[in-house]
Amino acid sequence: MTVIARRLAGHLVRGLAMILVVATISFVIIRSIPGDPMRARYEKLVEQGMSPEQAERATAVMYGFMPRGTMWEQYTDYMRGLLHLDLGRSLSVPGAEVTTLLASAAAWTILPVLVGTLLSFTVGIILGVYAAIKRSSRLGDALAVSGSLLHGLPQYVLALLLSAAFTTLLPIFPASGTADVTLEPGLNAAYVGSLIQYATLPVLTYALAGYGGWILAMKSSVVTVLGDDFILAAELRGMRRGVIFRYVARNAILPLFTILALSLGLLFGGAIFIERIFTYPGLGLLLLNSVTDRDYALMGGAFLLITVAIVIANIVADMLYTAIDPRVRSGQGAS
């Protein structure tokens, strides 16, 4: 078995174990919440005229496991539902399946997170290289200061500043929503343009929130590589600065690819504040609303989906590093 295949198999096993642990914790939390929400739902259905048997079945459908029986019986029912991608039904959206709500919300989160992160990564990497090379100049200092300032601002502060600046002071962009409700949804220029307009501020917030970290990390990595022996040897051999620059950038960017993949997974959880401020119906806003509405089935499903995203990001990060670093592929790097 190749090095890549062994690493992938190991990550898949660990990832499945992590997902199982989070699913178990979600189950325990639902069962341990004061007031027993399952029992309250069961009693409410009985009061509405259902028979005890019907109320019990309805509650089991909503939560994904039977509200009676031993803890182990409830747990096995819950895990059996997960194997069939059945996370129960939402209490805050009557009749709606949790998987359907999560899929719909995730679709609105993935694209802004992906575009914003890749934009901040690209700009931060390019400017980070210049900040390192020009670190003794005013330009280098200005780039480093801009990275430090933006890196120190929380996401929700950036979102509030952008919202105030571009929806109130200069009303260029809409304050909330995903598209103009008066337009016909579809692949037409007007509707697609509206989608882009409404997504601009969330994407810009993701980009600015990540920019500071990328430029500082790339600057530090480039400065470290500039001190390596192979750079000094290249300079002594009279190699052109353009070739040396490519060597520096290629070696300095390697560690950042791992961070890039991880940041994509973590932003699924960090989207709560940004989506709340812009009322953008993604996974973060759905999770926040599920907590407010005490919708425990939806809450558990959202936590589980965020965990899956982070696990996948970890696997992609390690496999990407394995693919681009020949030392790892040959088994000479870290195992």
Side-chain angles (χ1 to χ4, degrees):
M1 185 182 292
T2 65
V3 173
I4 294 179
R6 287 199 302 270
R7 293 177 72 91
L8 179 59
H11 281 300
L12 289 175
V13 171
R14 288 190 293 271
L16 289 174
M18 178 64 70
I19 293 172
L20 177 63
V21 168
V22 172
T24 302
I25 293 174
S26 298
F27 168 83
V28 173
I29 289 175
I30 292 175
R31 290 292 291 118
S32 303
I33 290 175
D36 195 344
M38 290 183 301
R39 172 59 58 181
R41 184 65 184 176
Y42 169 79
E43 293 175 354
K44 183 176 181 179
L45 292 175
V46 172
E47 292 175 359
Q48 292 175 349
M50 282 191 180
S51 67
E53 293 77 13
Q54 291 174 327
E56 185 175 282
R57 286 195 297 270
T59 306
V61 168
M62 291 179 180
Y63 285 95
F65 55 91
M66 296 298 292
R68 290 188 176 181
T70 65
M71 179 71 78
W72 177 250
E73 290 172 342
Q74 297 178 34
Y75 178 71
T76 54
D77 288 338
Y78 177 68
M79 297 305 298
R80 191 179 299 114
L82 288 184
L83 292 177
H84 294 86
L85 299 180
D86 181 9
L87 299 175
R89 294 183 181 274
S90 170
L91 297 178
S92 56
V93 186
E97 294 186 355
V98 170
T99 51
T100 302
L101 294 175
L102 291 176
S104 177
W108 290 107
T109 296
I110 291 174
L111 191 58
V113 166
L114 185 62
V115 173
T117 303
L118 292 180
L119 180 61
S120 67
F121 179 76
T122 303
V123 175
I125 291 303
I126 295 174
L127 295 183
V129 174
Y130 281 100
I133 295 177
K134 305 289 186 180
R135 59 187 181 278
S136 299
S137 66
R138 291 182 178 179
L139 174 60
D141 292 339
L143 290 174
V145 169
S146 70
S148 298
L149 289 176
L150 288 175
H151 186 60
L153 286 176
Q155 288 182 352
Y156 67 88
V157 174
L158 285 171
L160 289 172
L161 290 175
L162 290 175
S163 179
F166 296 110
T167 67
T168 304
L169 298 178
L170 294 173
I172 302 174
F173 298 103
S176 61
T178 57
D180 190 340
V181 295
T182 63
L183 297 176
E184 182 70 24
L187 293 177
N188 56 79
Y191 185 71
V192 173
S194 180
L195 288 175
I196 295 174
Q197 184 183 26
Y198 277 74
T200 298
L201 288 182
V203 169
L204 188 57
T205 304
Y206 288 122
L208 290 176
Y211 160 79
W214 293 125
I215 189 173
L216 295 177
M218 189 61 181
K219 177 186 175 182
S220 176
S221 186
V222 169
V223 169
T224 301
V225 173
L226 285 173
D228 287 347
D229 293 338
F230 76 94
I231 298 297
L232 178 60
E235 292 175 343
L236 293 176
R237 289 199 303 268
M239 191 172 292
R240 295 194 307 272
R241 291 190 63 84
V243 177
I244 296 176
F245 178 82
R246 289 198 296 270
Y247 280 163
V248 171
R250 181 178 178 181
N251 283 272
I253 203 174
L254 280 176
L256 273 66
F257 275 111
T258 302
I259 304 174
L260 173 62
L262 291 175
S263 66
L264 288 173
L266 293 173
L267 274 176
F268 275 85
I272 295 176
F273 302 109
I274 295 175
E275 292 178 355
R276 174 64 185 86
I277 291 170
F278 296 110
T279 320
Y280 206 75
L283 188 61
L285 185 60
L286 184 71
L287 176 58
L288 182 62
N289 290 337
S290 69
V291 174
T292 303
D293 297 333
R294 295 175 63 87
D295 191 339
Y296 300 112
L298 187 56
M299 190 192 313
F303 281 134
L304 187 62
L305 182 57
I306 292 172
T307 302
V308 171
I310 295 175
V311 167
I312 293 176
N314 272 275
I315 295 175
V316 171
D318 189 83
M319 299 311 299
L320 181 62
Y321 196 87
T322 302
I324 63 180
D325 192 337
R327 294 171 299 178
V328 179
R329 289 200 305 271
S330 63
Q332 296 174 2
S335 58

